[in-house]
Amino acid sequence: MYEKNNSYVLDMTAESRMMWFDKRNPLATFDDKRQVHEQLSSGHMIDVDPDVLADWTLGLPFGNETFNLVLFDPPHLIHAGDTSWLAKKYGTLNADNWQEIIKLGFDEGMRVLKQNGTMVFKWKYSQIPLREILDAIGVEPLFGQKRQKTHWLVFMKV
């Protein structure tokens, strides 16, 4: 079981930590199922270097109610070429069972979230509408930004 002193935040889909101002924030544990360092012919750099290499669909290596805040920014594409820049940078969802995958991730994030903790769920609508995501997880957010293509939703474990 992974333990990091003073880790209050779990970014369970860290990728290249693009949303972070401090990509080495000591309050956070960064998890991803991939570790990739590659410069593409397009010039794009893929740099995925998590603290913890684990796949949330198989269960995270953290105890129940470990974190005060969980960030969940799952892949949002079901149609992307395997070698495309977007697929390499962000990953993809399986078109046949994406609902199950999203639900597994949401439930696993809630499992490691402390009672009264907060989950921030980020979703980019390009191929799957937000309403279908909310139907898949079966929980309505407390509040969030839902008018643009990128949605920020806030959930609380009570």
Side-chain angles (χ1 to χ4, degrees):
M1 179 106 27
Y2 175 85
E3 288 188 33
K4 180 179 176 181
N5 293 338
N6 299 321
S7 185
Y8 302 100
V9 179
L10 172 64
D11 184 341
M12 60 186 277
T13 48
E15 299 164 347
S16 60
R17 308 178 191 191
M18 287 180 47
M19 72 173 94
W20 287 86
F21 287 93
D22 178 356
K23 295 182 186 313
R24 300 281 175 213
N25 191 307
L27 297 176
T29 297
F30 298 95
D31 173 76
D32 205 286
K33 71 178 186 178
R34 305 169 300 141
Q35 189 163 34
V36 180
H37 303 282
E38 180 182 352
Q39 183 158 3
L40 305 178
S41 60
S42 65
H44 290 98
M45 177 59 88
I46 308 297
D47 187 23
V48 179
D49 188 25
D51 297 325
V52 178
L53 195 60
D55 183 344
W56 41 265
T57 64
L58 303 174
L60 295 170
F62 311 111
N64 295 343
E65 300 193 2
T66 301
F67 298 95
N68 300 79
L69 173 64
V70 172
L71 305 175
F72 185 35
D73 178 12
H76 58 271
L77 297 173
I78 53 177
H79 304 292
D82 292 339
T83 60
S84 74
W85 172 77
L86 287 173
K88 286 186 174 192
K89 185 160 182 90
Y90 302 112
T92 59
L93 292 169
N94 185 315
D96 296 328
N97 68 342
W98 68 262
Q99 296 93 336
E100 178 183 339
I101 301 264
I102 294 294
K103 176 73 169 142
L104 282 169
F106 185 86
D107 290 349
E108 189 63 3
M110 283 296 187
R111 180 188 69 76
V112 301
L113 186 62
K114 287 183 179 178
Q115 192 70 23
N116 300 315
T118 303
M119 177 189 279
V120 175
F121 184 101
K122 180 179 170 249
W123 184 253
K124 169 93 183 227
Y125 169 45
S126 58
Q127 297 175 359
I128 304 170
L130 177 61
R131 181 75 257 157
E132 290 183 30
I133 293 299
L134 293 173
D135 289 346
I137 62 174
V139 179
E140 289 292 317
L142 290 172
F143 60 91
Q145 189 281 345
K146 57 183 181 175
R147 296 192 187 270
Q148 303 297 320
K149 285 192 165 217
T150 300
H151 307 285
W152 293 88
L153 309 172
V154 177
F155 298 85
M156 185 174 190
K157 182 176 181 178
V158 292

